[in-house]
Amino acid sequence: MKVLLIGATGNLGLRLVSALLTHNHSVVAYVRSSTKLESLLPASVYGQLTVIQGNAIDSVSIKTVILDSNCDAIVNTAGVAGVAPWAKSDLPAIFRAVMDGVRGAGEERGEPLRAWFLGGQGVLFYPGSEVMMSNYIPIYLEHRQNLRLLKALPPNTIDWSMLCPNTMVPESSSITVPTQSSHKVLIASAGTPPEWKDSWVKYIPLIGRPLVCAMNAGSGRYETTLEQNAEFIAGDLESVESRWSGVAVGVIDGAK
Ligand SMILES: NC(=O)c1ccc[n+]([C@@H]2O[C@H](COP(=O)([O-])OP(=O)(O)OC[C@H]3O[C@@H](n4cnc5c(N)ncnc54)[C@H](OP(=O)(O)O)[C@@H]3O)[C@@H](O)[C@H]2O)c1
Ligand SMILES: *[C@@H]1O[C@H](CO)[C@@H](O)[C@H](O)[C@H]1NC(C)=O
C-alpha cells in the first residue's frame, strides 16, 4: 500500500518508517521539518521516502497530500497525550485535523481510507465490562475524546483502528530496513487488554478494580517495544480487510 505517515520524526514514527519499508509499502512521510527527518535516518532509508512538509493540525493540507500522492492508508503518530488528568496537549487538535483530512479525502475519492491512530491502554475496557481502564487510573485522558470521535463517525467515512499500547520502549536506536522483520510478535485483542490477570482483589469495594488495573498495567507486563508496535501496524496494512477495523486494539508481548 501507499501509506501516509504523519509524525515520522517521533519515537514510533521512525520505527514505522523502517517497518513499513520492510513490508514493502511505499511511504509518504508528512513532517514539520524534512531536515530533522533527514538527520534522524540513514541516507539509504531517507532516500526511499517521499517527504512532504506540513503541519498535522492542517486538515486541508493532509487531505490534499492524500489525494495528490494517491495514498491508500494513513498512520498518525503525531502529537503526544498529556499524562495528568488536567493536562492539555496538542494531540486533540492534531487528532481532529488528521481525522477531518482523512475523511475528506475518502469522501472525495468515494472510498474510505484505511487509518491507524494511536491511543493508550486506558481507553480499553476493564475485561468483562464496558468501563474504560482510565476510569480507574485517570491518566492520558485525552485519548478518550479521540476514540469517541472515531466511534461517532458515520459508517464508510474512515476505515479506522486505534492501537492502544501501554509503555513502548526502544529495542535499538538505529533505524535500519531489514528484508525480514525479526521482532517478537504481539498478541492483540479488540477492546480490552489481552491475557489479563484477574484477581479476587477486584471484589474489594471501590478500590478493587483500580488495584487490579494497577497490578496489570503498572507491572511492566504490558510494556512492549516501539519496533513491535510498528511491525504490528505495517503487517496489518498488508491485508485488504483488517481484523481490527473499527476497534481499539490492546497488545501484549507474546513472550510475557
Ligand atoms: N511512547 C509511549 O510509550 C506511548 C505509549 C502509548 C501511547 N503513545 C502514543 O503514541 C503516539 C506516538 O508516541 P511517540 O513516543 O512516538 O511520540 P514522540 O516521539 O513525541 O513523537 C511525536 C511526533 O509528533 C510530531 N508532531 C507533534 N506536533 C506536530 C504537528 N503539529 N505537526 C506535525 N507533527 C507533529 C513530532 O514531530 P516533530 O519532530 O516535528 O516535533 C513527532 O514526530 C503518541 O500519540 C502517544 O500519545 C505513546
Ligand atoms: C518484500 O519484497 C521482497 C523482494 O521482492 C521480498 O523478498 C519480501 O519477502 C517482501 N516482504 C514482505 C513482508 O512481503
Side-chain angles (χ1 to χ4, degrees), residues 22-24 179-180 238:
T22 293
H23 280 266
N24 298 328
T179 47
Q180 291 277 303
E238 282 184 351

Side-chain angles (χ1 to χ4, degrees), residues 56-178:
I57 55 170
D58 185 348
S59 61
V60 176
S61 161
I62 290 168
K63 174 181 164 184
T64 308
V65 171
I66 292 170
L67 293 172
D68 288 357
S69 324
N70 246 317
C71 296
D72 313 291
I74 75 109
V75 182
N76 180 55
T77 62
V80 182
V83 184
W86 54 84
K88 297 263 181 288
S89 76
D90 293 342
L91 180 64
I94 291 174
F95 199 94
R96 185 179 275 278
V98 171
M99 237 184 66
D100 287 349
V102 175
R103 178 179 177 176
E107 282 172 348
E108 195 146 321
R109 187 184 285 164
E111 195 185 350
L113 275 103
R114 180 89 189 100
W116 272 101
F117 292 91
L118 263 292
Q121 196 176 30
V123 300
L124 298 173
F125 288 150
Y126 184 101
S129 78
E130 291 207 351
V131 182
M132 283 184 183
M133 286 170 65
S134 51
N135 275 36
Y136 303 120
I137 305 180
I139 51 172
Y140 300 109
L141 296 183
E142 291 170 313
H143 293 304
R144 295 162 63 125
Q145 65 204 70
N146 295 341
L147 180 58
R148 210 175 301 129
L149 288 176
L150 290 175
K151 288 191 169 170
L153 282 168
N156 294 316
T157 46
I158 303 179
D159 181 8
W160 63 269
S161 303
M162 182 186 256
L163 185 62
C164 300
N166 191 304
T167 308
M168 296 181 286
V169 296
E171 279 174 43
S172 160
S173 58
S174 65
I175 306 296
T176 57
V177 180

Side-chain angles (χ1 to χ4, degrees), residues 1-23:
M1 283 206 194
K2 192 159 186 185
V3 183
L4 181 70
L5 173 58
I6 303 171
T9 52
N11 292 315
L12 184 58
L14 288 169
R15 274 76 184 185
L16 271 158
V17 166
S18 155
L20 289 167
L21 291 173
T22 293
H23 280 266

Side-chain angles (χ1 to χ4, degrees), residues 25-36:
H25 297 294
S26 308
V27 180
V28 180
Y30 186 89
V31 288
R32 290 193 282 198
S33 160
S34 56
T35 323
K36 179 172 179 182

